[in-house]
Amino acid sequence: MEKLKNFLGKSYVWLVMLFFYVPIIYVCVFSFNESKSLTRFTGFSLQWYQKMFESRTIMEAIYYTVAIAVIATIVSTVVGTITAIGLSKSRKIVRDVVLQINDLPMMNPDIVTAIGFMLLFTSLHIEKGFMTILLAHIAFCIPYVILSVMPRLRQLDDNLAEAALDLGCTPVQALTKVIIPQLKTGIVSGALIAFTMSFDDFVISFFTSGSGINTIAIYVYSSIKRINPTINALSTIIVLIVTVVLIVVNVVPMIKDKKLKEGK
């Protein structure tokens, strides 16, 4: 009976892994197909990668996507971290109310948030474009940063900042040299989540974008009605970059910890 449970458990894990990774592998393999077929591999070719890099539309979509994601991540991480630190020193009732409000953008369906931003920009007569997408992305990324930093703040000693001030630090030095280094893991986690949410977003970007502004998600959506193998090439490059980033983020700290232990 125990062996059967173990077998079923392992089988379930493998089925889940196949469900998640087979489509990704499929896309990567057919990005090297010499024909447009998405069902029959006719031969190895890099032509779709070449066409992707030669396409001005795709390059602009990549530029706008990365630029918006990077700027939104930086701004939301700074604002979210400062807000979380301020909330940790606020009265409990104020902190609870703000955190409840902070949860609303994450609990709301994207379509509701997107329509809300669209109506806001329209009512203020703001022309939709790069800035409207950026503002919308910053707004919905900040709650994720706050949510990532707050648990780390709860683990800190309440007297840490006061001890730094007593030892001669200015308020700014206490914040930058004592508090923030202790929050590093929470800040990095929040920044990664913010970047991922911004880079991956479609619905909010679609409703807040203007003419001539395309992100990768919007470009892919506009191309789904026709066979476009360059999307496979673009997807493969994104998968490769994400894989490298995950390896760096997870492996580098392990190597550093190993060296520290060996040094001891």
Side-chain angles (χ1 to χ4, degrees):
M1 190 66 181
E2 189 66 28
K3 290 183 178 180
L4 179 61
K5 286 183 179 180
N6 290 334
F7 174 76
L8 291 176
K10 291 179 180 179
S11 300
Y12 176 75
V13 171
W14 278 108
L15 285 173
V16 171
M17 296 287 283
L18 288 172
F19 179 79
F20 280 116
Y21 290 105
V22 165
I24 297 174
I25 295 171
Y26 185 89
V27 168
C28 293
V29 169
F30 277 87
S31 69
F32 298 103
N33 194 8
E34 66 177 2
S35 69
K36 285 188 175 182
S37 175
L38 298 178
T39 57
R40 188 168 60 91
F41 193 85
T42 57
F44 182 86
S45 174
L46 294 174
Q47 62 171 318
W48 305 119
Y49 289 89
Q50 181 182 351
K51 289 183 179 181
M52 183 196 74
F53 286 112
E54 290 175 351
S55 172
R56 182 177 177 181
T57 304
I58 296 178
M59 290 297 102
E60 286 182 350
I62 293 172
Y63 167 76
Y64 284 125
T65 301
V66 174
I68 290 169
V70 169
I71 297 172
T73 299
I74 293 172
V75 175
S76 62
T77 300
V78 173
V79 174
T81 301
I82 293 173
T83 303
I85 294 172
L87 287 175
S88 68
K89 302 298 180 182
S90 301
R91 289 184 298 173
K92 186 177 185 302
I93 186 170
V94 175
R95 183 169 62 251
D96 290 345
V97 170
V98 174
L99 289 178
Q100 289 294 327
I101 296 173
N102 183 70
D103 291 339
L104 287 176
M106 294 182 288
M107 297 174 65
N108 268 341
D110 282 352
I111 186 66
V112 175
T113 305
I115 293 173
F117 278 123
M118 183 188 67
L119 293 176
L120 173 65
F121 295 137
T122 302
S123 62
L124 295 176
H125 303 289
I126 299 175
E127 185 178 355
K128 290 187 291 183
F130 181 87
M131 285 304 299
T132 53
I133 297 179
L134 179 59
L135 291 173
H137 280 225
I138 291 172
F140 77 72
C141 283
I142 288 174
Y144 292 97
V145 177
I146 295 175
L147 194 66
S148 297
V149 175
M150 283 302 294
R152 184 61 183 159
L153 273 167
R154 293 191 186 100
Q155 296 176 1
L156 294 184
D157 190 337
D158 293 336
N159 299 318
L160 193 62
E162 294 180 7
L165 294 173
D166 290 341
L167 292 172
C169 287
T170 63
V172 175
Q173 288 175 330
L175 176 65
T176 57
K177 295 185 177 181
V178 178
I179 302 298
I180 290 180
Q182 296 293 322
L183 303 175
K184 184 172 66 175
T185 55
I187 294 172
V188 172
S189 298
L192 289 174
I193 293 172
F195 182 85
T196 303
M197 295 298 296
S198 176
F199 191 92
D200 184 56
D201 179 74
F202 164 70
V203 177
I204 295 175
S205 299
F206 184 77
F207 277 82
T208 56
S209 65
S211 59
I213 304 296
N214 275 336
T215 62
I216 292 174
I218 295 174
Y219 172 77
V220 172
Y221 174 76
S222 64
S223 303
I224 60 175
K225 293 183 180 180
R226 63 182 186 274
I227 297 176
N228 189 356
T230 55
I231 294 177
N232 293 343
L234 178 59
S235 301
T236 302
I237 291 176
I238 293 173
V239 170
L240 178 62
I241 293 173
V242 170
T243 302
V244 171
V245 170
L246 286 175
I247 291 173
V248 171
V249 170
N250 290 286
V251 174
V252 170
M254 291 172 60
I255 295 173
K256 287 183 178 180
D257 291 340
K258 186 177 180 181
K259 287 183 177 179
L260 287 173
K261 289 179 180 178
E262 290 176 352
K264 293 179 181 180

